[in-house]
């Protein structure tokens, strides 16, 4: 596994879910980390948010299943430097799917990153 995978971030918040999917599908947990702000939160299970190394480990466990993720952005709502993203997703070979409610923020560098990644939406 190449742990030096570089991710091409986006200046279009509606494309950020696709950036996440591309990073996830590299199989490199470090690539996925690039799509989050340093303090960004992931809720791998409803009600159990994680950050930092726990976030990296949670995404790594999903990547270790060995199946690609597919994303279908449904809605993108943007106000200034914040975006609410509603995204249908599926890890087909693992039988996992859901509708995410995510928050991304445009950084001072112009690139969008997740602040809150909530893959299970309102579950």
């Amino acid at each position: 596994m190449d742990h030096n995978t570089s991710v091409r971030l986006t200046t279009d918040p509606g494309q950020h879910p696709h950036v996440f999917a591309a990073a996830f599908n590299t199989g490199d947990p470090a690539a996925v980390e690039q799509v989050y702000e340093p303090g960004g939160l992931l809720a791998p299970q409803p009600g159990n948010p994680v950050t930092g190394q726990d976030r990296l480990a949670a995404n790594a466990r999903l990547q270790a299943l060995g199946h690609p993720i597919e994303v279908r952005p449904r809605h993108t709502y943007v106000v200034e430097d914040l975006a609410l993203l509603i995204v249908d997703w599926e890890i087909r070979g693992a039988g996992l799917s859901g509708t995410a409610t995510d928050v991304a923020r445009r950084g001072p560098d112009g690139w969008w990153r997740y602040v809150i990644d909530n893959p299970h939406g309102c579950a």
Side-chain angles (χ1 to χ4, degrees):
M1 184 181 311
D2 176 12
H3 289 288
N4 295 314
T5 308
S6 181
V7 172
R8 185 180 198 98
L9 296 173
T10 182
T11 57
D12 177 353
Q15 290 301 308
H16 192 66
H18 296 292
V19 172
F20 173 87
F24 183 94
N25 292 340
T26 68
D28 181 357
V32 176
E33 279 297 293
Q34 295 173 53
V35 306
Y36 291 93
E37 288 192 350
L41 177 151
L42 166 67
Q45 288 93 30
N48 294 307
V50 295
T51 59
Q53 287 300 310
D54 293 330
R55 179 187 63 224
L56 183 143
N59 277 318
R61 282 190 294 276
L62 286 177
Q63 287 177 296
L65 296 172
H67 299 285
I69 192 168
E70 297 172 21
V71 298
R72 290 173 305 287
R74 192 188 298 184
H75 300 291
T76 302
Y77 303 111
V78 181
V79 175
E80 297 176 7
D81 293 332
L82 286 177
L84 174 64
L85 307 169
I86 310 299
V87 182
D88 296 319
W89 61 271
E90 182 175 15
I91 302 176
R92 194 169 287 162
L96 299 172
S97 64
T99 300
T101 54
D102 299 331
V103 177
R105 180 170 25 217
R106 181 177 25 229
D109 57 5
W111 303 115
W112 289 86
R113 294 175 183 86
Y114 283 131
V115 180
I116 300 171
D117 180 2
N118 182 24
H120 301 287
C122 59

